[in-house]
């Protein structure tokens, strides 16, 4: 009878417990990144101001007070969130703004001066993408990644990225025109 209990216990430990942990972990680490963009604005010389804008689920507690931006020249910077009210974020970062429909808009800004003219890939990555995206298999396991390409050229004075006027937070519908 002790051996039977040990085998049952072993069965639960090997089969059921990992399944429960995986289900719990996916719920616990339920993701929040819904959409985003990287934009840049020319300041002067080889200096640019870069903004990461993310749209996240407001109801999920996986919030980011700051993000790391890779400048494309081998350097990176930690950018604080600059929109919303002051709150629990360290270092004076703000809390983002709820724009309705369980969507929070977060803006992170930083400046950088490049050493030379060139082509630079600005990028940001976060492991917390929304789960359940139909055209991204196992979307919860695919990192959320943003990239924008910046051309730094003295002949292109005032080279700034286009600004999109509508938040990219639409929901497409299966089998319906969108």
């Amino acid at each position: 009878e002790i051996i039977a209990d040990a085998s049952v216990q072993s069965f639960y430990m090997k089969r059921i417990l990992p399944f429960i942990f995986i289900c719990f972990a996916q719920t616990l680490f339920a993701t929040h990144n819904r959409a985003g963009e990287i934009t840049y604005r020319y300041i002067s010389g080889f200096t640019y101001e870069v903004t990461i804008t993310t749209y996240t689920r407001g109801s999920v507690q996986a919030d980011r007070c700051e993000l790391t931006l890779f400048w494309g020249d081998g350097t990176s910077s930690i950018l604080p969130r600059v929109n919303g009210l002051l709150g629990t974020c360290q270092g004076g970062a703000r809390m983002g703004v709820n724009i309705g429909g369980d969507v929070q808009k977060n803006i992170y800004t930083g400046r950088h001066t490049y050493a030379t003219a060139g082509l630079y890939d600005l990028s940001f990555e976060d492991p917390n993408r929304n789960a359940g995206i139909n055209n991204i298999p196992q979307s919860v396991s695919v990192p959320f990644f943003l990239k924008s390409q910046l051309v730094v050229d003295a002949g292109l004075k005032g080279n700034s990225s286009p600004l999109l006027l509508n938040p990219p937070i639409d929901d497409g519908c299966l089998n319906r025109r969108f």
Side-chain angles (χ1 to χ4, degrees):
E1 205 166 48
I2 295 174
I3 295 171
D5 286 342
S7 65
V8 169
Q9 197 173 35
S10 175
F11 170 79
Y12 279 108
M13 294 298 283
K14 289 180 182 175
R15 306 274 193 224
I16 305 298
L17 193 57
F19 176 75
I20 291 170
F21 176 74
I22 289 168
C23 293
F24 178 71
Q26 286 187 345
T27 302
L28 179 65
F29 298 111
T31 59
H32 68 291
N33 284 306
R34 183 177 171 135
E37 61 186 348
I38 297 175
T39 56
Y40 51 86
R41 183 173 65 92
Y42 174 76
I43 301 299
S44 67
F46 292 154
T47 302
Y48 286 82
E49 180 177 78
V50 173
T51 300
I52 300 174
T53 304
T54 63
Y55 298 89
T56 58
R57 282 191 182 155
S59 61
V60 176
Q61 297 300 318
D63 193 39
R64 301 284 186 261
C65 297
E66 53 192 27
L67 300 176
T68 301
L69 174 69
F70 295 90
W71 296 101
D73 63 356
T75 65
S76 64
S77 295
I78 296 173
L79 307 183
R81 185 168 36 209
V82 297
N83 69 322
L85 301 173
L86 286 173
T88 59
C89 287
Q90 299 285 333
R94 298 187 174 271
M95 299 304 297
V97 174
N98 185 324
I99 60 172
D102 194 26
V103 177
Q104 179 172 305
K105 182 177 181 179
N106 308 287
I107 300 172
Y108 308 83
T109 303
R111 285 190 181 188
H112 185 68
T113 301
Y114 290 92
T116 63
L119 187 62
Y120 299 99
D121 288 333
L122 307 165
S123 65
F124 150 73
E125 184 174 318
D126 188 87
N128 294 321
R129 177 190 296 273
N130 278 353
I133 299 172
N134 290 339
N135 62 346
I136 302 176
Q138 298 179 353
S139 62
V140 72
S141 301
V142 178
F144 182 72
F145 180 80
L146 300 176
K147 181 171 103 172
S148 187
Q149 200 166 63
L150 168 62
V151 177
V152 176
D153 186 339
L156 294 175
K157 296 257 187 222
N159 180 26
S160 297
S161 65
L163 298 177
L164 304 175
L165 301 178
N166 294 319
I169 55 170
D170 297 326
D171 287 322
C173 298
L174 188 61
N175 299 320
R176 294 177 66 194
R177 189 176 291 164
F178 178 71

